[in-house]
Amino acid sequence: MTAAQEVSTRDLAELVETAKIERVIYDYAYYLDMNLPDELAALFTEDCYVAYGPGFGAEGRRAYRETLDGIGTFFTATSHHVSNVAVTFADDMNSASVRSVLYAWHRYTKEGKADGYFFGQYHDEFVRDDQHGWRFSRRELRSSGVVDFHVKKQIPIGRA
């Protein structure tokens, strides 16, 4: 086997830890779609930062949890589809920067309001500890485009 063909211990560790991070991302979408705000908030660190748009988000898990109170009354249904997950680990493998692609559909409770669609990306920072595993420390939603979406101002993806 040549040096180029060898798989290092680090390579294997990154594959395993990437799968664990992906699971947290997929659990986030599931908990959001199932209207499980307590489970959703538990995926974040106590000192997390979340931005769903300019001036719309929260600092800290408690404040973030409060922003979730409306998901059961504002929406009758949502469906979040996350893909193209790209993970970059810090040297110590206890933190990671993650980018993923999002397509989301929202059915609103307000009668006559058209369904809302979001197309864009999540830009996340994750941290790992022995007690909780991987959790979001930062989550930023960036937009490629929207149709009848309830958040009127978005953070752009930064397309060149």
Side-chain angles (χ1 to χ4, degrees):
M1 183 178 285
T2 68
Q5 294 172 319
E6 287 184 31
V7 176
S8 72
T9 302
R10 170 78 183 214
D11 292 335
L12 292 175
E14 285 188 7
L15 285 172
V16 169
E17 297 308 317
T18 294
K20 290 176 183 179
I21 288 171
E22 288 173 337
R23 177 59 188 259
V24 175
I25 292 169
Y26 302 148
D27 284 348
Y28 173 94
Y30 176 77
Y31 295 151
L32 187 54
D33 291 342
M34 297 304 291
N35 186 27
L36 298 170
D38 291 332
E39 291 85 344
L40 189 59
L43 299 175
F44 290 79
T45 61
E46 288 292 337
D47 62 347
C48 68
Y49 172 80
V50 180
Y52 290 127
F56 178 51
E59 290 190 42
R61 186 190 305 159
R62 180 174 291 167
Y64 177 59
R65 173 58 184 85
E66 289 174 11
T67 69
L68 301 173
D69 283 340
I71 62 174
T73 57
F74 197 70
F75 306 108
T76 60
T78 64
S79 187
H80 290 73
H81 304 264
V82 185
S83 65
N84 302 27
V85 179
V87 179
T88 302
F89 290 97
D91 289 340
D92 65 2
M93 299 247 334
N94 286 319
S95 63
S97 297
V98 182
R99 181 189 71 244
S100 57
V101 174
L102 171 68
Y103 161 75
W105 164 83
H106 303 80
R107 168 129 323 138
Y108 301 99
T109 56
K110 186 176 181 182
E111 192 169 324
K113 179 160 176 46
D115 292 352
Y117 300 88
F118 181 93
F119 308 91
Q121 302 171 357
Y122 286 122
H123 288 254
D124 301 316
E125 297 295 326
F126 276 82
V127 295
R128 177 175 64 170
D129 65 44
D130 292 337
Q131 182 180 4
H132 302 101
W134 290 102
R135 292 194 299 171
F136 295 99
S137 61
R138 180 181 179 89
R139 172 152 263 210
E140 185 175 282
L141 182 64
R142 298 183 188 176
S143 174
S144 299
V146 299
V147 177
D148 296 321
F149 192 58
H150 58 283
V151 178
K152 297 305 174 199
K153 292 183 179 179
Q154 283 81 39
I155 301 166
I157 61 170
R159 186 170 189 257

